Amino acid sequence: GGVFLELVTNYWHFFVIRILTGISVGGTFPLIYSLLGDMFPISQRAFVSSFITIATGGGVFLGQQIAAWVGPATDWRLPFVIVGAPAIAVAVLVFFTTEEP
């Protein structure tokens, strides 16, 4: 959803896109852990779940650093695009390469 913030022209567009992004991200984590439970044996699930949790925190940190560096130098929309574009690329990659368990 962050990539679409480039198209925002007023506060209400921003508000709706951020709500939709929050709903989609909130619904993602149960799916991720469910897939991990199907894709990895019991002996590896704790490690993989921990890795996902740490990677999520690292992604939040990295996104904040990008926003702090790019935002003041450009406009407030560009950090959303920079952070959102790789997420779309990974989603497409996962869609075409991951088999449903």
Side-chain angles (χ1 to χ4, degrees), residues 36 41 44-45 54 61 63 65 67 71 74 81-82 88 97 99-101:
L36 293 177
Q44 294 179 342
R45 288 182 191 159
I54 291 169
F61 174 78
Q65 297 305 309
T74 60
V81 174
I82 292 172
I88 291 172
T97 60
E99 294 181 24
E100 187 173 340

Side-chain angles (χ1 to χ4, degrees), residues 1-18 75-77 80-81:
V3 173
F4 293 113
L5 289 173
E6 185 67 27
L7 307 173
V8 165
T9 59
N10 63 49
Y11 173 76
W12 292 107
H13 292 157
F14 175 81
F15 185 70
V16 169
I17 290 173
R18 293 301 292 161
D75 70 351
W76 62 270
R77 292 176 177 99
F80 287 102
V81 174

Side-chain angles (χ1 to χ4, degrees), residues 13-84:
H13 292 157
F14 175 81
F15 185 70
V16 169
I17 290 173
R18 293 301 292 161
I19 286 174
L20 294 174
T21 301
I23 291 169
S24 67
V25 169
T28 301
F29 290 105
L31 296 173
I32 290 171
Y33 289 109
S34 177
L35 284 171
L36 293 177
D38 291 339
M39 295 172 68
F40 292 93
I42 292 173
S43 61
Q44 294 179 342
R45 288 182 191 159
F47 172 78
V48 174
S49 295
S50 298
F51 179 81
I52 293 297
T53 302
I54 291 169
T56 301
V60 169
F61 174 78
L62 185 61
Q64 291 174 348
Q65 297 305 309
I66 290 170
W69 180 65
V70 174
T74 60
D75 70 351
W76 62 270
R77 292 176 177 99
L78 188 58
F80 287 102
V81 174
I82 292 172
V83 173

